[in-house]
mmCIF file of all heavy atoms in Angstrom:
data_model
loop_
_atom_site.group_PDB
_atom_site.id
_atom_site.type_symbol
_atom_site.label_atom_id
_atom_site.label_comp_id
_atom_site.label_asym_id
_atom_site.label_seq_id
_atom_site.Cartn_x
_atom_site.Cartn_y
_atom_site.Cartn_z
ATOM 1 N N GLY A 759 4.215 -6.476 9.906
ATOM 2 C CA GLY A 759 3.236 -5.400 9.966
ATOM 3 C C GLY A 759 1.824 -5.899 10.182
ATOM 4 O O GLY A 759 0.867 -5.253 9.781
ATOM 5 N N VAL A 760 1.695 -7.069 10.809
ATOM 6 C CA VAL A 760 0.371 -7.641 11.070
ATOM 7 C C VAL A 760 0.223 -7.820 12.578
ATOM 8 O O VAL A 760 1.154 -8.272 13.248
ATOM 9 C CB VAL A 760 0.203 -8.998 10.338
ATOM 10 C CG1 VAL A 760 1.225 -9.997 10.805
ATOM 11 C CG2 VAL A 760 -1.194 -9.548 10.520
ATOM 12 N N PRO A 761 -0.914 -7.445 13.162
ATOM 13 C CA PRO A 761 -1.065 -7.572 14.614
ATOM 14 C C PRO A 761 -1.031 -9.025 15.058
ATOM 15 O O PRO A 761 -1.510 -9.916 14.350
ATOM 16 C CB PRO A 761 -2.435 -6.929 14.884
ATOM 17 C CG PRO A 761 -3.147 -6.947 13.578
ATOM 18 C CD PRO A 761 -2.110 -6.844 12.520
ATOM 19 N N ASP A 762 -0.455 -9.259 16.242
ATOM 20 C CA ASP A 762 -0.337 -10.642 16.712
ATOM 21 C C ASP A 762 -1.689 -11.284 16.975
ATOM 22 O O ASP A 762 -1.806 -12.512 17.007
ATOM 23 C CB ASP A 762 0.549 -10.722 17.955
ATOM 24 C CG ASP A 762 0.027 -9.898 19.124
ATOM 25 O OD1 ASP A 762 -1.082 -9.321 19.017
ATOM 26 O OD2 ASP A 762 0.733 -9.810 20.154
ATOM 27 N N THR A 763 -2.729 -10.477 17.114
ATOM 28 C CA THR A 763 -4.072 -11.023 17.335
ATOM 29 C C THR A 763 -4.618 -11.741 16.103
ATOM 30 O O THR A 763 -5.634 -12.429 16.187
ATOM 31 C CB THR A 763 -5.050 -9.911 17.730
ATOM 32 O OG1 THR A 763 -4.990 -8.855 16.758
ATOM 33 C CG2 THR A 763 -4.703 -9.350 19.102
ATOM 34 N N HIS A 764 -3.970 -11.587 14.965
ATOM 35 C CA HIS A 764 -4.395 -12.275 13.741
ATOM 36 C C HIS A 764 -3.694 -13.620 13.569
ATOM 37 O O HIS A 764 -3.923 -14.304 12.569
ATOM 38 C CB HIS A 764 -4.120 -11.402 12.523
ATOM 39 C CG HIS A 764 -5.069 -10.255 12.382
ATOM 40 N ND1 HIS A 764 -5.726 -9.956 11.217
ATOM 41 C CD2 HIS A 764 -5.489 -9.325 13.274
ATOM 42 C CE1 HIS A 764 -6.485 -8.894 11.376
ATOM 43 N NE2 HIS A 764 -6.355 -8.496 12.633
ATOM 44 N N GLY A 765 -2.860 -13.996 14.534
ATOM 45 C CA GLY A 765 -2.102 -15.228 14.394
ATOM 46 C C GLY A 765 -2.747 -16.419 15.067
ATOM 47 O O GLY A 765 -3.314 -16.307 16.158
ATOM 48 N N GLU A 766 -2.670 -17.567 14.414
ATOM 49 C CA GLU A 766 -3.060 -18.823 15.040
ATOM 50 C C GLU A 766 -1.995 -19.200 16.076
ATOM 51 O O GLU A 766 -0.900 -18.629 16.093
ATOM 52 C CB GLU A 766 -3.179 -19.926 13.988
ATOM 53 C CG GLU A 766 -4.299 -19.726 12.992
ATOM 54 C CD GLU A 766 -4.431 -20.878 12.009
ATOM 55 O OE1 GLU A 766 -4.109 -22.029 12.394
ATOM 56 O OE2 GLU A 766 -4.853 -20.646 10.862
ATOM 57 N N PRO A 767 -2.290 -20.169 16.948
ATOM 58 C CA PRO A 767 -1.276 -20.607 17.908
ATOM 59 C C PRO A 767 0.015 -21.022 17.205
ATOM 60 O O PRO A 767 -0.022 -21.582 16.104
ATOM 61 C CB PRO A 767 -1.943 -21.808 18.602
ATOM 62 C CG PRO A 767 -3.401 -21.544 18.471
ATOM 63 C CD PRO A 767 -3.565 -20.883 17.126
ATOM 64 N N LEU A 768 1.138 -20.747 17.828
ATOM 65 C CA LEU A 768 2.428 -21.118 17.260
ATOM 66 C C LEU A 768 2.540 -22.642 17.234
ATOM 67 O O LEU A 768 2.390 -23.309 18.254
ATOM 68 C CB LEU A 768 3.560 -20.528 18.109
ATOM 69 C CG LEU A 768 4.974 -20.696 17.541
ATOM 70 C CD1 LEU A 768 5.156 -19.816 16.301
ATOM 71 C CD2 LEU A 768 6.018 -20.347 18.595
ATOM 72 N N GLN A 769 2.806 -23.191 16.054
ATOM 73 C CA GLN A 769 2.919 -24.636 15.870
ATOM 74 C C GLN A 769 4.392 -25.036 15.836
ATOM 75 O O GLN A 769 5.183 -24.433 15.108
ATOM 76 C CB GLN A 769 2.262 -25.056 14.554
ATOM 77 C CG GLN A 769 0.812 -24.651 14.415
ATOM 78 C CD GLN A 769 -0.119 -25.512 15.236
ATOM 79 O OE1 GLN A 769 0.070 -26.728 15.318
ATOM 80 N NE2 GLN A 769 -1.123 -24.890 15.838
ATOM 81 N N ILE A 770 4.755 -26.039 16.607
ATOM 82 C CA ILE A 770 6.099 -26.609 16.555
ATOM 83 C C ILE A 770 5.981 -27.988 15.907
ATOM 84 O O ILE A 770 5.185 -28.834 16.349
ATOM 85 C CB ILE A 770 6.730 -26.747 17.951
ATOM 86 C CG1 ILE A 770 6.614 -25.435 18.729
ATOM 87 C CG2 ILE A 770 8.191 -27.193 17.824
ATOM 88 C CD1 ILE A 770 7.328 -24.265 18.108
ATOM 89 N N LEU A 771 6.749 -28.221 14.853
ATOM 90 C CA LEU A 771 6.631 -29.456 14.075
ATOM 91 C C LEU A 771 7.971 -30.170 13.996
ATOM 92 O O LEU A 771 9.021 -29.530 13.817
ATOM 93 C CB LEU A 771 6.118 -29.139 12.670
ATOM 94 C CG LEU A 771 4.732 -28.481 12.628
ATOM 95 C CD1 LEU A 771 4.439 -27.931 11.251
ATOM 96 C CD2 LEU A 771 3.659 -29.477 13.056
ATOM 97 N N HIS A 772 7.920 -31.488 14.121
ATOM 98 C CA HIS A 772 9.120 -32.330 14.091
ATOM 99 C C HIS A 772 9.010 -33.346 12.965
ATOM 100 O O HIS A 772 7.999 -34.050 12.852
ATOM 101 C CB HIS A 772 9.284 -33.054 15.429
ATOM 102 C CG HIS A 772 10.410 -34.026 15.450
ATOM 103 N ND1 HIS A 772 10.241 -35.377 15.717
ATOM 104 C CD2 HIS A 772 11.738 -33.849 15.218
ATOM 105 C CE1 HIS A 772 11.413 -35.982 15.666
ATOM 106 N NE2 HIS A 772 12.336 -35.082 15.357
ATOM 107 N N TYR A 773 10.053 -33.403 12.135
ATOM 108 C CA TYR A 773 10.112 -34.351 11.026
ATOM 109 C C TYR A 773 11.324 -35.267 11.229
ATOM 110 O O TYR A 773 12.471 -34.847 10.991
ATOM 111 C CB TYR A 773 10.267 -33.620 9.694
ATOM 112 C CG TYR A 773 9.077 -32.790 9.271
ATOM 113 C CD1 TYR A 773 8.849 -31.534 9.823
ATOM 114 C CD2 TYR A 773 8.190 -33.248 8.298
ATOM 115 C CE1 TYR A 773 7.761 -30.763 9.436
ATOM 116 C CE2 TYR A 773 7.096 -32.486 7.897
ATOM 117 C CZ TYR A 773 6.900 -31.243 8.477
ATOM 118 O OH TYR A 773 5.817 -30.485 8.081
ATOM 119 N N PRO A 774 11.122 -36.511 11.652
ATOM 120 C CA PRO A 774 12.228 -37.475 11.698
ATOM 121 C C PRO A 774 12.548 -37.968 10.287
ATOM 122 O O PRO A 774 11.930 -37.528 9.309
ATOM 123 C CB PRO A 774 11.682 -38.589 12.586
ATOM 124 C CG PRO A 774 10.201 -38.534 12.359
ATOM 125 C CD PRO A 774 9.867 -37.077 12.140
ATOM 126 N N VAL A 775 13.454 -38.904 10.182
ATOM 127 C CA VAL A 775 13.813 -39.461 8.873
ATOM 128 C C VAL A 775 12.572 -40.034 8.185
ATOM 129 O O VAL A 775 11.776 -40.740 8.804
ATOM 130 C CB VAL A 775 14.898 -40.547 9.028
ATOM 131 C CG1 VAL A 775 15.101 -41.298 7.714
ATOM 132 C CG2 VAL A 775 16.209 -39.919 9.467
ATOM 133 N N SER A 776 12.387 -39.699 6.938
ATOM 134 C CA SER A 776 11.305 -40.112 6.023
ATOM 135 C C SER A 776 10.030 -39.288 6.189
ATOM 136 O O SER A 776 9.131 -39.378 5.350
ATOM 137 C CB SER A 776 10.976 -41.603 6.135
ATOM 138 O OG SER A 776 10.169 -41.871 7.271
ATOM 139 N N ALA A 777 9.928 -38.466 7.238
ATOM 140 C CA ALA A 777 8.711 -37.668 7.417
ATOM 141 C C ALA A 777 8.664 -36.547 6.388
ATOM 142 O O ALA A 777 9.695 -35.982 5.984
ATOM 143 C CB ALA A 777 8.656 -37.086 8.824
ATOM 144 N N GLU A 778 7.439 -36.202 5.981
ATOM 145 C CA GLU A 778 7.262 -35.195 4.942
ATOM 146 C C GLU A 778 5.885 -34.560 5.061
ATOM 147 O O GLU A 778 5.024 -35.021 5.818
ATOM 148 C CB GLU A 778 7.400 -35.828 3.558
ATOM 149 C CG GLU A 778 6.300 -36.850 3.275
ATOM 150 C CD GLU A 778 6.378 -37.470 1.883
ATOM 151 O OE1 GLU A 778 6.808 -36.769 0.944
ATOM 152 O OE2 GLU A 778 5.999 -38.651 1.742
ATOM 153 N N TYR A 779 5.689 -33.515 4.277
ATOM 154 C CA TYR A 779 4.349 -32.935 4.082
ATOM 155 C C TYR A 779 4.245 -32.660 2.591
ATOM 156 O O TYR A 779 4.886 -31.742 2.066
ATOM 157 C CB TYR A 779 4.187 -31.651 4.889
ATOM 158 C CG TYR A 779 2.753 -31.180 5.062
ATOM 159 C CD1 TYR A 779 2.458 -30.088 5.872
ATOM 160 C CD2 TYR A 779 1.684 -31.824 4.431
ATOM 161 C CE1 TYR A 779 1.147 -29.662 6.059
ATOM 162 C CE2 TYR A 779 0.376 -31.394 4.597
ATOM 163 C CZ TYR A 779 0.122 -30.311 5.425
ATOM 164 O OH TYR A 779 -1.173 -29.888 5.593
ATOM 165 N N ARG A 780 3.492 -33.476 1.912
ATOM 166 C CA ARG A 780 3.419 -33.368 0.457
ATOM 167 C C ARG A 780 2.777 -32.045 0.050
ATOM 168 O O ARG A 780 2.042 -31.429 0.829
ATOM 169 C CB ARG A 780 2.638 -34.555 -0.114
ATOM 170 C CG ARG A 780 3.357 -35.879 0.101
ATOM 171 C CD ARG A 780 2.548 -37.055 -0.376
ATOM 172 N NE ARG A 780 3.111 -38.317 0.113
ATOM 173 C CZ ARG A 780 2.488 -39.483 0.088
ATOM 174 N NH1 ARG A 780 1.258 -39.572 -0.428
ATOM 175 N NH2 ARG A 780 3.062 -40.563 0.564
ATOM 176 N N PRO A 781 3.041 -31.583 -1.169
ATOM 177 C CA PRO A 781 2.574 -30.252 -1.593
ATOM 178 C C PRO A 781 1.089 -30.008 -1.320
ATOM 179 O O PRO A 781 0.236 -30.852 -1.599
ATOM 180 C CB PRO A 781 2.903 -30.234 -3.080
ATOM 181 C CG PRO A 781 4.150 -31.072 -3.175
ATOM 182 C CD PRO A 781 3.910 -32.193 -2.200
#
Side-chain angles (χ1 to χ4, degrees):
V760 61
D762 60 5
T763 53
H764 286 229
E766 294 183 31
L768 187 70
Q769 304 284 320
I770 310 298
L771 299 167
H772 175 239
Y773 293 79
V775 170
S776 79
E778 64 178 327
Y779 196 174
R780 294 176 193 166

